[in-house]
Amino acid sequence: MSLNRAEQMIFDYLRQHPDERQHWETKVRAAAKSAPDDQVAAAGLQGELWRYYLERSEVVAAFREAVQREGRQRTSMRNLAEYLIRLWTPPRPKRKPANGGVADAGPQIL
């Protein structure tokens, strides 16, 4: 999986700051637990990650410099959200197809 610059900056920051990482691990686990699937959880988390990026840009020099250089236009955080879910939550069991895994052969003529 490839992260964009903003996503990578957040990920690196979380690795270097255990208290922040613990906060986000808890947040990611809660989002994954309350969502029906990982895609829904990631969709919710990406907005929170963007707000976190902007908040960090007010207090952390590296984030502030990135925002000054690249602007505040919204950047996708979807890949980071999906990666954190995979990294910090147990895998969900695969759902079985509704037809029991048997391909539908269409109508049969007798």
Side-chain angles (χ1 to χ4, degrees), residues 78-91:
R78 184 66 179 233
N79 287 342
L80 179 59
E82 290 175 357
Y83 182 59
L84 295 178
I85 289 169
R86 273 192 255 143
L87 190 62
W88 293 336
T89 64

Side-chain angles (χ1 to χ4, degrees), residues 3-10 42-43 45-54 63 74-84:
L3 302 178
N4 65 42
R5 283 187 295 232
E7 291 172 319
Q8 188 66 53
M9 185 177 288
I10 291 174
L45 284 170
Q46 70 174 339
E48 293 185 51
L49 287 164
W50 176 248
R51 287 187 290 281
Y52 180 70
Y53 178 80
L54 293 177
F63 286 83
R74 175 90 186 238
T75 301
S76 174
M77 295 284 165
R78 184 66 179 233
N79 287 342
L80 179 59
E82 290 175 357
Y83 182 59
L84 295 178

Side-chain angles (χ1 to χ4, degrees), residues 10 17 23 29 35 37 42-44 46 58 63 65 77 85 87 92-93 95 100 102 107-108:
I10 291 174
H17 296 85
H23 169 77
R29 287 183 182 126
D37 61 41
Q46 70 174 339
E58 300 292 324
F63 286 83
E65 291 165 7
M77 295 284 165
I85 289 169
L87 190 62
R92 293 181 191 242
R95 287 188 281 178
V102 177
Q108 295 181 357

Side-chain angles (χ1 to χ4, degrees), residues 34-73:
S34 67
D37 61 41
D38 290 347
Q39 295 302 312
V40 173
L45 284 170
Q46 70 174 339
E48 293 185 51
L49 287 164
W50 176 248
R51 287 187 290 281
Y52 180 70
Y53 178 80
L54 293 177
E55 183 268 327
R56 292 285 86 190
S57 74
E58 300 292 324
V59 295
V60 177
F63 286 83
R64 184 172 35 253
E65 291 165 7
V67 166
Q68 288 172 350
R69 195 174 49 248
E70 299 167 14
R72 295 175 67 91
Q73 61 272 15

